[in-house]
Amino acid sequence: MDFFKRHFFVALSAVLGLIIIAYVGVQGNLQLLFGVVVPYLAALIFLEGVIYRVIQWARSPVPFRIPTTAAQGRSLPWIKRNLGEKLDNPADTPHLIGRMALEVFAFRSLFRNLRTELVKDPDNPEGARLIHWSYKWLWLGAIAFHYAFLVVILRHLRFFTEPTMGVVLMLDKMDGFFQFFTPAVYLSGVVLVAAVGYLLFRRITNPTLRYISLAADYFPLLLILAIGLTGILLRYFFKTDIVAVKELAIGLVTLHPKLPANLSALFYVHLFLVCALFAYFPFSKLMHAPGVFMSPTRNLTCNNRWVMHVNPWNYPVKFHSYAEYEDTFREPMIEAGIPVEKEQ
Amino acid sequence: MADYKNEFGVFAERPKVEKKIFDRNKVIAGLVIFLVMVTIPLWQNLGKTVAAPTPNLDTPVIQKLAEKDKKCVMPKEWMRANHMQLLVDWRDNVVRTKEQQVTTSRGRNFVASDKKQYLASLTNTCMECHSNKAQFCDQCHNYVAVAPNCWGCHLETGKKLAEAK
């Protein structure tokens, strides 16, 4: 098994291992561990980990503006810029907020994704031509996945709030708008699994992408896929008593945990996978969620041309001047016939 | 970490980076927003004790039943998780597939695990015993925020099919 396959199978067996752990644990009557202890632990690790890492990032100085932009910066008055250019290379705070909003809500940088390919071209002396073309599938997969996941998470608030918040009820209604199958199929669940499936498929089938993919890339995808699939199984095929699910969830958030007896092993598998995702979050690439807000290339105005940014901790550099260099190497230089400025 | 050195000795002191959180206010504001958002369920339920629903079985019809007949068409535990599936199967069987061919026999009959036959009907069988929709059905449905569309047709106060016949 080569290096790349190994990374995929390590991640796959980790997810399968988590499923087996939860299943075996529940068969061994460890409901208290998997229903109460692990969720609390996962929530604590998630909160503390995210805060810790964000503060660690905030301790790194960012003295300069990094104008890695794809648009014309503010320049001479007769160089006109349209709104897109102003947003891509913001000169003031409102446009900067626009750039961040585009990035956070619409995944602007993924939208710029290009595909580079060699195409056959008989007119070309080499018989091939390098082309770059706009390739939106990654953006579409990513945005479908993120919004579907957001809706799925918000929908789950119906287990955590009593009475259920109006927003959640409305979302629930919209999500099950096409009332087919019973219980009504949630579109977000279908989109979530399809989009994660595409993102995984693309990682496996594209050779260049497979080359740079590690277990840490496959694991979150497989984990979220497993969460989505167990959730779909629980809702449509192997139903569990959701009143008992809500009793458990409400018990957790009111800090009076209570363990209903009537929950299936599949439910505990689903719950344990979610806990694993939350606990894994601060240690993983999933930290891009807070990270996008802390990206110096995105969250600073590009004003280098008219505001001077002085590094506040510039230290006096000890130069080694040419005169000193010559002082050190004068004799060998003369010996080798290299001209020197001072003979003595 | 030592200062930067080359073969001539120290040429630069290690840069003295302040040990602090840069953009402190913005970072802390962001973290507070994050914390408040992810702990919404905690605030929502702060200090509350949410009682689990207790579906009420105290209806005139159930009271009249003999002790050995006080049971549902399927085991209680199974019904708690799967009653919606049973009802939908009944509906499909009666309304969409069978009844067009046979009006009275198989399509309307549900044979329980103890070989007892029931009329496959929400209004006439289920709600015959569970006539207290608000205490029996609605309590759990509201608790888990589901809005089944059964009641679009099966009006609780509506005339029963059997009586009409």
Side-chain angles (χ1 to χ4, degrees):
Chain A
M1 194 187 294
D2 65 36
F3 178 81
F4 309 107
K5 278 187 196 139
R6 202 160 64 228
H7 272 273
F8 175 74
F9 283 111
V10 162
L12 184 66
S13 43
V15 173
L16 293 178
L18 288 174
I19 293 174
I20 291 168
I21 287 172
Y23 185 77
V24 170
V26 172
Q27 297 306 319
N29 288 324
L30 289 173
Q31 272 91 346
L32 185 69
L33 178 67
F34 287 100
V36 177
V37 179
V38 169
Y40 275 136
L41 219 65
L44 284 178
I45 294 173
F46 171 70
L47 291 179
E48 198 196 330
V50 169
I51 292 170
Y52 175 80
R53 285 202 66 181
V54 166
I55 288 182
Q56 282 299 106
W57 283 335
R59 287 159 74 100
S60 316
V62 182
F64 303 119
R65 304 300 160 100
I66 311 168
T68 52
T69 65
Q72 171 66 50
R74 192 169 90 181
S75 184
L76 298 167
W78 45 268
I79 296 179
K80 295 280 183 279
R81 301 198 302 154
N82 62 24
L83 182 66
E85 285 165 324
K86 282 179 186 165
L87 284 172
D88 268 346
N89 198 340
D92 49 20
T93 312
H95 287 110
L96 176 74
I97 291 170
R99 171 162 82 174
M100 284 304 286
L102 274 179
E103 189 62 45
V104 171
F105 295 117
F107 303 177
R108 176 78 180 95
S109 2
L110 281 188
F111 201 68
R112 257 200 276 273
N113 185 38
L114 290 178
R115 182 165 214 173
T116 308
E117 256 181 317
L118 272 178
V119 290
K120 284 208 174 91
D121 181 9
D123 300 337
N124 200 303
E126 276 122 34
R129 184 164 49 102
L130 189 68
I131 57 157
H132 310 276
W133 51 289
S134 170
Y135 196 74
K136 305 287 185 226
W137 288 105
L138 171 64
W139 172 83
L140 190 68
I143 205 156
F145 159 66
H146 280 84
Y147 276 104
F149 206 9
L150 177 69
V151 171
V152 168
I153 289 171
L154 289 179
R155 268 204 288 99
H156 277 76
L157 281 180
R158 78 178 164 129
F159 293 117
F160 293 96
T161 55
E162 177 61 31
T164 308
M165 287 186 287
V167 188
V168 178
L169 292 178
M170 203 182 68
L171 209 61
D172 204 84
K173 222 172 211 170
M174 278 160 53
D175 208 355
F177 182 75
F178 299 103
Q179 300 191 344
F180 64 100
F181 205 71
T182 304
V185 170
Y186 283 139
L187 298 180
S188 58
V190 179
V191 174
L192 173 72
V193 168
V196 175
Y198 166 69
L199 293 176
L200 185 64
F201 173 80
R202 146 183 185 281
R203 216 170 249 294
I204 295 170
T205 51
N206 186 342
T208 46
L209 198 58
R210 195 166 61 231
Y211 185 76
I212 57 167
S213 295
L214 302 177
D217 299 307
Y218 292 120
F219 181 68
L221 285 174
L222 288 167
L223 187 61
I224 291 168
L225 193 63
I227 289 172
L229 290 177
T230 49
I232 284 174
L233 285 179
L234 269 176
R235 181 172 164 84
Y236 306 105
F237 302 106
F238 305 103
K239 298 186 176 65
T240 194
D241 178 6
I242 59 166
V243 173
V245 173
K246 178 142 187 180
E247 275 176 56
L248 177 70
I250 280 280
L252 289 176
V253 291
T254 50
L255 306 180
H256 295 292
K258 165 167 111 169
L259 210 60
N262 203 9
L263 289 169
S264 64
L266 183 63
F267 167 75
Y268 281 104
V269 169
H270 183 66
L271 181 65
F272 186 60
L273 289 176
V274 174
C275 292
L277 181 69
F278 272 91
Y280 175 67
F281 197 95
F283 305 97
S284 66
K285 65 189 283 197
L286 302 174
M287 280 300 284
H288 68 267
V292 67
F293 294 98
M294 316 269 300
S295 322
T297 55
R298 303 281 100 196
N299 67 7
L300 295 172
T301 49
C302 298
N303 56 8
N304 283 350
R305 287 180 176 178
W306 60 96
V307 177
M308 184 166 169
H309 299 282
V310 178
N311 191 344
W313 57 90
N314 267 352
Y315 48 84
V317 177
K318 287 180 188 161
F319 295 107
H320 192 231
S321 65
Y322 179 72
E324 286 165 354
Y325 174 86
E326 221 185 70
D327 285 345
T328 315
F329 292 107
R330 180 163 296 110
E331 280 170 26
M333 282 171 83
I334 294 170
E335 221 172 281
I338 299 170
V340 288
E341 287 181 357
K342 247 174 28 175
E343 292 290 336
Q344 282 307 309
Chain B
M1 202 167 75
D3 291 334
Y4 299 110
K5 281 183 181 175
N6 62 8
E7 65 263 47
F8 309 110
V10 176
F11 68 91
E13 281 141 29
R14 197 175 162 222
K16 298 211 168 32
V17 180
E18 287 172 275
K19 282 245 156 84
K20 65 164 193 177
I21 300 174
F22 295 88
D23 291 318
R24 193 193 171 94
N25 293 340
K26 286 180 199 161
V27 170
I28 287 177
L31 282 176
V32 167
I33 291 171
F34 160 74
L35 266 182
V36 168
M37 267 169 48
V38 296
T39 51
I40 277 178
L42 282 182
W43 309 124
Q44 273 262 327
N45 299 301
L46 197 64
K48 267 193 242 172
T49 43
V50 180
T54 46
N56 190 348
L57 295 173
D58 189 24
T59 65
V61 179
I62 295 180
Q63 277 173 352
K64 261 185 258 166
L65 286 174
E67 200 55 46
K68 70 173 176 61
D69 290 332
K70 281 189 182 173
K71 59 183 177 188
C72 197
V73 300
M74 292 290 275
K76 184 178 137 198
E77 299 304 311
W78 188 89
M79 282 304 267
R80 283 180 77 100
N82 295 294
H83 64 277
M84 65 300 275
Q85 198 57 56
L86 180 87
L87 290 174
V88 166
D89 289 346
W90 282 9
R91 180 198 66 186
D92 288 352
N93 226 13
V94 171
V95 182
R96 300 198 176 160
T97 54
K98 290 285 165 55
E99 207 184 38
Q100 287 147 8
Q101 302 139 27
V102 231
T103 348
T104 47
S105 67
R106 278 184 45 225
R108 296 233 68 169
N109 280 338
F110 175 73
V111 184
S113 49
D114 58 355
K115 302 283 182 284
K116 203 177 159 190
Q117 285 205 348
Y118 293 92
L119 183 71
S121 163
L122 171 63
T123 309
N124 294 302
T125 305
C126 303
M127 302 199 63
E128 175 82 38
C129 291
H130 303 292
S131 52
N132 51 345
K133 173 172 172 281
Q135 289 95 41
F136 187 76
C137 310
D138 294 350
Q139 225 183 31
C140 293
H141 288 165
N142 292 341
Y143 182 65
V144 292
V146 293
N149 51 12
C150 310
W151 320 115
C153 304
H154 293 270
L155 297 177
E156 167 186 24
T157 52
K159 284 207 166 179
K160 291 180 180 172
L161 185 72
E163 286 169 10
K165 280 183 178 169

